[in-house]
Amino acid sequence: MTTHYYPFGKDAVMADDAGEPLTIRYGVRSDIGLVREGNEDAVYAGGRLFVVADGMGGHAHGEVASAAAVEALLPLDTQVPGDELLSALEQAVLRAGSTLHDMVEADSSLSGMGTTLTALLWSGSRLGLVHIGDSRAYRVRDGEVSQLTHDHTLVQSLLDDGEITEDEVATHPKRMMLLRALDGEHNCAPDLELLQARAGDRYLLCSDGLHGVASPDDVSRVLLEVPHPDQAVADLVELAIDGGAPDNVTCIVADVVPAAKTLPFPASPEPADA
Ligand code: MN
């Protein structure tokens, strides 16, 4: 089992719209899980940009697609004006789609690869959310955990239409089927939403290796009870491992904190590749 550790223990500086400087403190982990032979998830956490992409496609091409999608968003990890967040995200997704398209054109063995993409881009106290597929974003605010994204899956649409119940989702034979993914072949409109961040908010981005395995109650308990984001992502990955981790699992936990109240970070845990 390989656990990837990413640089953490730094506060990302957030600009200040409302007179109160805010920073983002985050933790990131991506784990291959217990069954898969490779990690097809890709993740990025920078000063302003946070991305989770879950690649799919046979013969390890999923990791090509997820990495290409993340790479297409990287230029956004800079100062993007608040009123341009959504257009910048939308443009980046178009760029990612055409990159994937060109890659498949150049190498037909890549045909069928695709990726989910769920990302948050901060500017001041605003954040843009872009979403395609079944990775998820959640927000914790005032002690409540809410899901910000809507899965682009067959089971979610059946659920929305009242054709199946929540209990039937876990055992549905086509529960893995995506209705929308970024693949460069199909016209793919992402969901876009502009949000207002508040001091005290906590955000989670994760691949389905977490929420498809761990119960919503367990995920909420970790989000509500584990104060430090590094520990929170470690505990979330542990939930997936405890559940058999049939898939790669990737989590970013990002806390919005008043800049003046940041405390020294505790000692970093030792990387434990085993
Ligand atoms: Mn997955």
Side-chain angles (χ1 to χ4, degrees):
M1 187 180 79
T2 310
T3 301
H4 298 287
Y5 289 83
Y6 293 85
F8 53 71
K10 71 172 188 173
D11 288 326
V13 177
M14 227 159 78
D16 170 22
D17 271 3
E20 181 184 38
L22 300 171
T23 62
I24 303 169
R25 172 174 290 192
Y26 58 90
V28 187
R29 282 203 193 192
S30 186
D31 194 286
I32 194 171
L34 299 176
V35 173
R36 296 291 178 90
E37 287 179 4
N39 192 342
E40 301 196 340
D41 287 357
V43 64
Y44 176 81
R48 297 179 173 87
L49 176 71
F50 298 82
V51 191
V52 169
D54 178 351
M56 63 210 75
H59 309 292
H61 293 149
E63 65 192 57
V64 176
S66 59
V70 169
E71 199 166 324
L73 264 67
L74 291 187
L76 301 182
D77 195 13
T78 172
Q79 184 67 52
V80 175
D83 53 4
E84 293 172 20
L85 283 174
L86 297 189
S87 56
L89 285 167
E90 192 170 25
Q91 288 303 315
V93 168
L94 285 174
R95 216 161 44 228
S98 71
T99 299
L100 293 178
H101 179 81
D102 292 348
M103 290 167 82
V104 172
E105 289 273 288
D107 177 359
S108 61
S109 78
L110 295 174
S111 182
M113 73 173 177
T115 185
T116 72
L117 185 66
T118 300
L120 286 169
L121 179 63
W122 257 274
S123 177
S125 59
R126 276 181 282 188
L127 54 142
L129 170 65
V130 67
H131 168 69
I132 305 162
D134 67 349
S135 300
R136 288 183 181 174
Y138 293 84
R139 178 177 62 204
V140 186
R141 177 177 282 175
D142 301 331
E144 299 259 324
V145 180
S146 49
Q147 188 180 330
L148 299 174
T149 50
H150 199 69
D151 293 349
H152 299 140
T153 56
L154 177 69
V155 286
Q156 182 64 56
S157 77
L158 293 174
L159 199 58
D160 293 344
D161 295 343
E163 291 178 34
I164 59 171
T165 64
E166 197 79 57
D167 289 344
E168 288 172 293
V169 168
T171 54
H172 196 282
K174 292 188 175 170
R175 64 186 176 282
M176 306 297 282
M177 186 182 280
L178 286 183
L179 298 183
R180 245 193 276 174
L182 188 60
D183 62 7
E185 292 181 51
H186 302 89
N187 200 358
C188 170
D191 292 342
L192 290 159
E193 190 178 359
L194 192 62
L195 302 161
Q196 192 73 35
R198 281 195 217 152
D201 282 352
R202 164 170 278 189
Y203 294 85
L204 166 67
L205 298 182
C206 63
S207 62
D208 67 337
L210 176 69
H211 61 78
V213 176
S215 75
D217 285 350
D218 284 344
V219 171
S220 292
R221 184 179 44 74
V222 170
L223 290 174
L224 291 168
E225 293 179 5
V226 180
H228 198 283
D230 283 329
Q231 189 60 48
V233 290
D235 289 3
L236 291 170
V237 167
E238 204 56 41
L239 288 177
I241 300 289
D242 289 346
D247 195 5
N248 310 138
V249 50
T250 300
C251 316
I252 303 172
V253 168
D255 291 344
V256 181
V257 292
K261 292 189 185 158
T262 50
L263 299 168
F265 275 85
S268 297
E270 289 294 313
D273 282 335

